[in-house]
């Protein structure tokens, strides 16, 4: 019995309903919310501001610092607050994806802080976080080359699906599930994030990348609308 | 002259005829936005007017800042920018005891100063100029620095209107800090409300007229 129909009734290349709002944290220099269905992330950007401790400063350019955090009420079973091995990893890959787009050479010795909080988690949280952070950085007026859009691709049994949810992530029949979060730069079409959890054949991986590129275009459209809608 | 909201990485216009200005870069034949804001095409020049973000100092700006440190030759000032500002004593026109700088401006005091120079690391301020110096009494409110042109209005029309109606002395710093001083606290709070009225309506046409109506209605 193979995976012929998705558990929540979506088409195989269909994303969950997306939502993006810019400017939701009044005290931040830039902020945004991004949601894939039940997965909701908010990002707040502070800076550029002077970086302390001084030994972390870079006299050639400003640096970017990301902090990803799942709030304790975001999952069915209460999560112990504070940083974990997982949140450290996601902070780091988010930072790498975002440093591809920001251009902080005008602000040496400064730091731009990005705080991503997951309000509600139903898989693909790092993707929602990156999407929200890209919007928040743009809203903060940081010099940027382009916008990054992110989506997670899954291989459930032998089918490629777009925007995996928790139910699919835990699918165990057949070949089980493989989760591949990816991020694409909207203009130059480069890949800024690529992680793979599970196993996949090379040929199918190419299909997955193709699917991600198409899905990221849809994400980008939502991001574009949210930024232009600012009033 | 046309204006449109653009996002980073978006092509504003194609063609060799146009020149990239602030926040715009050229990629082959296209002019591409390098930041989020309002793209303005005036003649051949294409530039982006910021809509949000932190205050970036420019030479000649009048700013309001707080003294956060006193050194042997001047004051360190926080002006809500990415870098600290420095006010050296030689840029102070008044005579005072240079062995006790705290007498002139102590830590925590607010000053209004002009941006003299921007170096790779930090900003220099001066107090040489009319109306510059330490701020006594009154209150200070903060607005987004990108809204300051709206608060001031065309040739100061908006701020003069608010000053007149609220009977307050107002100094608007380009960094978004605004100093208000009136006869009574009520006057100051009223002018604060008027300024908030202006900053909450960034895209309204003919805002000066609307503010005038609003002020007259509230004044009763």
């Amino acid at each position: 019995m193979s995976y012929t129909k998705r558990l929540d009734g979506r088409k195989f290349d269909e994303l969950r309903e997306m939502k993006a709002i810019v400017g939701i944290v009044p005290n931040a220099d830039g902020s945004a919310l991004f949601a894939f269905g039940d997965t909701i992330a908010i990002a707040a950007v502070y800076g550029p501001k002077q970086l302390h401790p001084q030994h972390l400063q870079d006299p050639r350019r400003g640096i970017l610092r990301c902090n990803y955090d799942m709030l304790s009420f975001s999952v069915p079973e209460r999560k112990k607050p504070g940083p974990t091995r997982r949140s450290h990893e996601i902070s780091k890959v988010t930072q790498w994806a975002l440093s591809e787009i920001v251009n902080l050479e005008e602000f040496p010795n400064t730091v731009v802080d990005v705080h991503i909080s997951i309000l509600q988690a139903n898989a693909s949280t790092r993707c929602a976080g990156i999407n929200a952070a890209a919007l928040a950085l743009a809203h903060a007026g940081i010099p940027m080359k382009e916008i990054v859009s992110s989506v997670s691709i899954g291989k459930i049994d032998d089918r490629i699906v777009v925007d995996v949810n928790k139910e699919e992530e835990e699918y165990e029949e057949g070949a089980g599930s493989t989760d591949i979060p990816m991020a694409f730069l909207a203009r130059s079409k480069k890949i800024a994030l690529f992680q793979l959890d599970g196993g996949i054949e090379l040929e199918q991986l190419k299909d997955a990348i193709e699917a991600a590129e198409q899905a990221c275009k849809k994400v980008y459209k939502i991001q574009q609308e949210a930024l232009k809608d600012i009033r | 002259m046309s204006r449109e909201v653009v996002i980073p990485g978006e092509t504003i216009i194609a063609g060799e005829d146009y020149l990239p200005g602030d926040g715009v870069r050229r990629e082959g034949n296209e002019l591409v936005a390098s930041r989020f804001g309002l793209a303005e095409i005036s003649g051949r020049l294409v530039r982006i007017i910021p809509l949000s973000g932190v205050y970036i100092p420019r030479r000649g700006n009048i700013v309001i800042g707080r003294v956060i440190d006193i050194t042997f030759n001047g004051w360190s000032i926080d002006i809500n920018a990415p870098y600290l500002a420095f006010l050296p004593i030689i840029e102070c026109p008044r005579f005072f005891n240079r062995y006790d700088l705290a007498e002139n401006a102590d830590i925590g005091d607010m000053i209004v100063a002009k941006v003299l120079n921007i170096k790779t690391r930090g900003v220099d301020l001066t107090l040489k100029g009319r109306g510059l110096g330490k701020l006594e009494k009154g209150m200070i409110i903060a607005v987004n620095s990108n809204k300051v042109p709206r608060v001031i209005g065309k040739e100061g029309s908006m701020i003069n209107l608010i000053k007149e109606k609220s009977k307050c002395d107002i100094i608007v710093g380009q960094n978004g800090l605004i100093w208000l001083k009136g006869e009574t606290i009520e006057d100051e709070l009223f002018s604060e409300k008027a300024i908030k009225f202006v900053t909450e309506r960034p895209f309204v046409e003919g805002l000066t007229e609307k503010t005038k109506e609003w002020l007259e209605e509230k004044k009763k």
Side-chain angles (χ1 to χ4, degrees):
Chain A
M1 175 68 193
S2 69
Y3 195 62
T4 50
K5 201 166 180 204
R6 289 183 80 170
L7 294 169
D8 57 1
R10 278 185 285 156
K11 291 187 204 121
F12 285 100
D13 63 345
E14 189 180 342
L15 292 114
R16 283 173 282 177
E17 196 187 333
M18 288 178 278
K19 190 169 149 193
I21 308 169
V22 170
I24 52 157
V25 184
N27 283 345
D29 293 315
S31 61
L33 172 149
F34 194 93
F36 283 120
D38 288 339
T39 300
I40 305 173
I42 56 174
V45 171
Y46 298 86
K49 58 185 183 182
Q50 213 136 37
L51 173 56
H52 291 289
Q54 250 181 12
H55 70 266
L56 294 176
Q57 289 183 356
D58 186 342
R60 290 191 200 91
R61 61 188 69 83
I63 69 163
L64 185 75
R65 257 192 323 205
C66 287
N67 181 38
Y68 164 99
D69 189 23
M70 283 232 291
L71 301 179
S72 47
F73 51 80
S74 64
V75 272
E77 188 88 13
R78 180 188 139 92
K79 177 197 167 278
K80 198 175 151 215
T84 58
R85 185 210 57 81
R86 178 175 173 277
S87 78
H88 270 124
E89 175 198 315
I90 297 179
S91 303
K92 210 74 197 168
V93 296
T94 307
Q95 186 177 317
W96 290 336
L98 295 174
S99 38
E100 289 302 312
I101 56 169
V102 296
N103 186 6
L104 293 171
E105 265 146 39
E106 285 169 48
F107 303 105
N109 298 315
T110 61
V111 63
V112 174
D113 271 326
V114 182
H115 296 282
I116 299 166
S117 303
I118 306 299
L119 296 188
Q120 197 166 270
N122 187 338
S124 306
T125 55
R126 71 193 71 189
C127 298
I130 289 173
N131 292 335
L135 292 177
L137 281 168
H139 182 226
I142 311 286
M144 286 162 87
K145 292 178 204 116
E146 52 199 307
I147 296 279
V148 62
S149 314
S150 175
V151 75
S152 72
I153 298 295
K155 188 185 73 111
I156 312 299
D157 194 1
D158 55 353
R159 290 300 296 262
I160 296 291
V161 301
V162 167
D163 188 20
V164 208
N165 65 19
K166 195 80 203 156
E167 250 184 312
E168 287 177 325
E169 212 174 67
E170 284 160 1
Y171 191 84
E172 278 178 353
E173 288 167 48
S177 83
T178 299
D179 183 21
I180 317 167
M182 278 185 252
F184 277 83
L185 305 187
R187 190 181 168 82
S188 57
K189 311 275 182 257
K190 284 181 190 158
I191 296 177
L193 167 78
F194 190 98
Q195 287 185 296
L196 197 151
D197 181 10
I200 191 167
E201 293 289 326
L202 186 62
E203 275 312 306
Q204 232 178 353
L205 187 60
K206 284 179 185 163
D207 292 344
I209 293 173
E210 176 60 29
E213 199 172 348
Q214 293 308 319
C216 280
K217 278 184 192 159
K218 292 179 195 160
V219 175
Y220 178 63
K221 223 172 155 204
I222 302 282
Q223 288 176 310
Q224 199 173 18
E225 276 164 22
L227 273 173
K228 295 215 171 188
D229 195 40
I230 183 170
R231 284 275 130 160
Chain B
M1 197 163 79
S2 65
R3 284 178 172 188
E4 196 196 343
V5 180
V6 290
I7 67 171
E10 189 177 326
T11 305
I12 302 169
I13 203 162
E16 298 287 337
D17 298 344
Y18 296 97
L19 296 169
D22 273 354
V24 183
R25 67 177 189 273
R26 180 175 282 286
E27 262 184 30
N29 197 30
E30 292 174 339
L31 289 184
V32 182
S34 278
R35 62 166 295 159
F36 170 66
L38 268 185
E40 183 189 81
I41 304 172
S42 49
R44 293 181 62 197
L45 187 72
V46 183
R47 67 187 195 101
I48 292 184
I49 305 162
L51 287 173
S52 54
V54 295
Y55 167 67
I56 308 296
R58 300 260 180 265
R59 185 180 292 179
N61 280 175
I62 303 291
V63 294
I64 293 176
R66 172 188 275 117
V67 177
I68 57 163
D69 194 12
I70 300 175
T71 66
F72 69 98
N73 63 343
W75 297 266
S76 286
I77 317 279
D78 177 12
I79 55 165
N80 267 3
Y83 300 99
L84 273 188
F86 188 70
L87 172 65
I89 35 175
I90 46 165
E91 292 298 337
C92 261
R94 255 184 57 223
F95 173 80
F96 55 87
N97 179 5
R98 60 170 301 185
Y99 297 105
D100 188 12
L101 296 182
E103 206 175 275
N104 199 39
D106 203 355
I107 292 169
D109 285 349
M110 303 299 289
I111 59 151
V112 51
K114 191 159 87 179
V115 177
L116 180 69
N117 207 350
I118 295 152
K119 296 178 295 187
T120 45
R121 194 171 183 163
V123 177
D124 278 343
L125 300 177
T126 178
L127 287 185
K128 288 176 184 164
R130 221 165 63 97
L132 305 181
K134 193 164 119 184
L135 292 170
E136 311 271 2
K137 295 179 182 154
M139 64 185 262
I140 286 179
I141 61 166
V143 301
N144 190 313
S145 64
N146 299 290
K147 305 260 168 69
V148 165
R150 282 301 239 181
V151 175
I152 293 172
K154 241 181 214 140
E155 283 154 14
S157 58
M158 184 74 81
I159 199 68
N160 286 334
L161 179 76
I162 298 173
K163 272 183 193 170
E164 185 195 316
K165 295 286 177 194
S166 66
K167 301 192 208 82
C168 281
D169 260 353
I170 303 178
I171 298 174
V172 183
Q174 290 289 330
N175 57 345
L177 294 185
I178 301 173
W179 176 77
L180 315 163
K181 185 172 164 288
E183 292 274 301
T184 61
I185 304 249
E186 283 73 28
D187 282 350
E188 289 173 5
L189 291 174
F190 179 68
S191 59
E192 181 188 0
K193 263 194 212 156
I195 289 166
K196 288 277 186 272
F197 177 86
V198 175
T199 54
E200 278 159 16
R201 286 164 183 75
F203 286 92
V204 179
E205 294 277 325
L207 189 58
T208 313
E209 282 305 307
K210 283 198 182 115
T211 313
K212 199 170 184 176
E213 282 167 29
W214 183 88
L215 282 164
E216 266 152 23
E217 192 195 323
K218 290 279 165 176
K219 200 70 201 168
K220 279 169 200 164

